Amino acid sequence: MVTSLRSRVAAANTWVADRPPPGPFRAGFWRSPIRGPWLTSVLGAVLLVGLPVMFATGLLSYLAYNPWLPGNDGRHASGVLTFVPFHWPASPAWGYRVTQGLHVTLGVVLVPVILAKLWSVIPKLFVWPPVASPAQALERLSLFLLVGGAMLTFATGLLNIQYWYRFPGSFYVLHFYAAWVFVVSAAAHVALKIPTMRAALRERRVRDELRTPLAGTTPEPYTPNGLVSARPAAPTISRRGALGLVGAGSLTAFVMVAPQTVGGPVSRLGLLSPRGGYDPGGGPNDFGVNTTAGEARITPALVGGLWRLEIAGGPSPIVLSRADLAAMEQHEATLAIACVEGWSSGNQRWRGVRLRDLATLSGVADPASVHVESLQDGGAFGRGRLAGNQIAAGDSLLALQVNDADLSLDHGFPARIIVPNNPGVRNTKWVKRLTFET
Ligand SMILES: Nc1nc2c(c(=O)[nH]1)N[C@H]1C(S)=C(S)[C@@H](COP(=O)(O)O)O[C@H]1N2
Ligand SMILES: [Mo]
């Protein structure tokens, strides 16, 4: 009885397996003669170098937000993945600019490689029958997580650097979890595929293949259910040509995006980076802006003569006017704003009151953190916490001026935070209250 049921299921399976629907499920539908383990392995090798750098710099960015401080972005993103091996330092001042510039630039540069890699394995998406055994079902599920995780990680990242924030939920959370799904499934994929990759790269030397013109381009040996076409067409591009195309795509992406990480006039070369230039007519405040005063609904009345800074957390709150702040000891620091989106303002000369002097004034000797609040209502941008080591750093300022001029309204007049090695978003503009916490 059981045997006959089994054999009937097996017979049904064979019947289905022998009758793929027309189109991409049929052997021989995919005909590119250069598709095969070699091309996939070369692209995989590039990703094997690039993705760990992306993941490491991404984790550093996560740490730079001080996710362990209540109310900071990283908090709700972390959950079971809360992992803070060290507190983000305030030096070197250029640290975040380098790691995040690398993260974003590499992310864009790898897009053509990822797309080519997906193209190279596309027959695998159309395996027939779709589920042949539990083991194969598991493998397909892991590939779904791999491809889905990769797409979501890259899509959220790319939308973010183009200032498209209308995600369902927070960019931070989506990007963070998608990256973990991507990285864990990629690690499993690599462990499974390393032998195939090594064999493929041993079979054909990269050096030799890069010398092979179109005329000499032949398919790799066919194996059933593999990547090589059962019915290869005549080549229209060599493997060298295909890799050249991907390389040219990556190089173009690099040229378009890298300049914005440098900042200053150079960033105008980055034609595809939206923050290429900001031109309020030149002058000391002519550098990139995230959220103008208009967008943040900061009116001249809010920042006029009636503006006061409130300093709380000590025995009694202190209220200071801008003139009071200007009368305190001023300190100058040359620092660049480096945004999570990969762009930098380039170095600017900021002038203002040291955060640690304000902490002392408030009566909190050795604060563990400071809660910074902006006149801007609502949203993650209007508030955030900085850690004790950031307050203590000598170049951490509540800035009143930049490049010998008062801050412009767009850059945070009457006063803004500027802290070395701090993600841009934590340099709050239009500050109204500082609460020092122990
Ligand atoms: N109040 C407030 N502060 C803010 C922002 C904001 O939108 N609102 N944007 C932040 C972000 S994301 C960055 S990168 C920097 C940019 O500073 P800038 O506009 O002066 O160049 O300001 C930060 N401070
Ligand atoms: Mo930013």
Side-chain angles (χ1 to χ4, degrees):
M1 188 67 194
V2 173
T3 340
S4 83
L5 183 64
R6 267 216 197 129
S7 62
R8 249 187 260 170
V9 169
N13 275 345
T14 321
W15 191 89
V16 172
D18 287 346
R19 282 165 188 76
F25 290 98
R26 300 234 161 137
F29 175 88
W30 302 101
R31 300 196 59 193
S32 170
I34 61 169
R35 190 181 271 123
W38 187 84
L39 193 62
T40 300
S41 297
V42 171
L43 296 167
V46 174
L47 294 176
L48 199 53
V49 175
L51 290 177
V53 178
M54 290 230 54
F55 189 53
T57 48
L59 281 182
L60 289 178
S61 184
Y62 159 79
L63 285 179
Y65 275 67
N66 286 325
W68 50 278
L69 282 172
N72 278 2
D73 262 345
R75 194 82 178 172
H76 34 265
S78 46
V80 287
L81 298 174
T82 309
F83 174 63
V84 183
F86 60 89
H87 286 185
W88 189 249
S91 72
W94 43 262
Y96 189 73
R97 188 177 172 195
V98 170
T99 62
Q100 196 57 14
L102 192 61
H103 185 73
V104 168
T105 305
L106 197 56
V108 177
V109 162
L110 288 181
V111 167
V113 184
I114 293 253
L115 291 178
K117 176 89 162 48
L118 285 176
W119 173 85
S120 79
V121 297
I122 207 159
K124 289 276 187 194
L125 295 184
F126 297 95
V127 175
W128 190 265
V131 180
S133 68
Q136 192 234 18
L138 212 60
E139 192 208 331
R140 300 208 77 194
L141 178 70
S142 77
L143 287 181
F144 173 77
L145 291 177
L146 177 63
V147 175
M151 301 281 245
L152 196 58
T153 309
F154 274 83
T156 48
L158 289 171
L159 287 172
N160 182 260
I161 65 171
Q162 296 295 330
Y163 315 116
W164 194 90
Y165 284 106
R166 273 162 286 162
F167 298 105
S170 138
F171 156 75
Y172 199 109
V173 176
L174 284 173
H175 195 64
F176 184 85
Y177 282 117
W180 272 106
V181 170
F182 177 28
V183 161
V184 171
S185 49
H189 184 69
V190 169
L192 283 173
K193 296 293 184 185
I194 279 273
T196 318
M197 182 173 137
R198 292 178 59 174
L201 293 179
R202 220 177 299 121
E203 192 72 25
R204 283 170 187 250
R205 294 275 160 205
V206 173
R207 213 175 327 117
D208 298 338
E209 203 57 50
L210 290 182
R211 290 206 193 99
T212 307
L214 181 61
T217 300
T218 52
E220 290 178 74
Y222 173 78
T223 50
N225 298 321
L227 296 172
V228 179
S229 174
R231 204 163 58 96
T236 52
I237 189 170
S238 62
R239 290 184 180 81
R240 170 176 74 182
L243 289 179
L245 210 59
V246 173
S250 289
L251 186 66
T252 308
F254 179 82
V255 171
M256 291 291 153
V257 171
Q260 69 167 357
T261 67
V262 179
V266 175
S267 58
R268 291 199 163 77
L269 296 174
L271 297 178
L272 283 192
S273 41
R275 206 116 356 200
Y278 169 78
D279 195 3
N285 277 278
D286 181 15
F287 55 93
V289 165
N290 176 291
T291 317
T292 60
E295 286 162 349
R297 293 168 202 275
I298 303 296
T299 60
L302 281 174
V303 298
L306 294 178
W307 174 85
R308 293 291 181 272
L309 174 75
E310 212 184 301
I311 306 179
S316 55
I318 295 169
V319 176
L320 300 174
S321 69
R322 198 167 189 277
D324 295 333
L325 284 165
M328 290 179 67
E329 187 192 331
Q330 303 291 299
H331 180 78
E332 215 169 77
T334 299
L335 298 170
I337 290 176
C339 181
V340 67
E341 293 149 355
W343 64 278
S344 174
S345 67
N347 275 334
Q348 312 292 338
R349 236 168 356 94
W350 308 89
R351 213 175 133 78
V353 183
R354 281 182 161 133
L355 291 185
R356 65 181 187 212
D357 292 348
L358 292 172
T360 307
L361 184 69
S362 78
V364 183
D366 193 11
S369 58
V370 61
H371 188 214
V372 181
E373 289 169 273
S374 168
L375 291 167
Q376 185 185 1
D377 269 342
F381 287 165
R383 61 187 55 86
R385 279 191 168 78
L386 296 166
N389 67 312
Q390 294 176 305
I391 301 167
D395 277 351
S396 295
L397 306 179
L398 182 70
L400 307 177
Q401 294 192 308
V402 63
N403 304 321
D404 298 320
D406 279 345
L407 291 172
S408 69
L409 196 52
D410 283 345
H411 281 304
F413 183 89
R416 76 166 305 158
I417 298 288
I418 182 86
V419 167
N421 198 29
N422 199 24
V425 65
R426 289 273 172 268
N427 296 307
T428 307
K429 304 192 280 192
W430 314 293
V431 173
K432 73 167 177 203
R433 188 181 299 118
L434 298 174
T435 308
F436 290 98
E437 302 159 326
T438 47

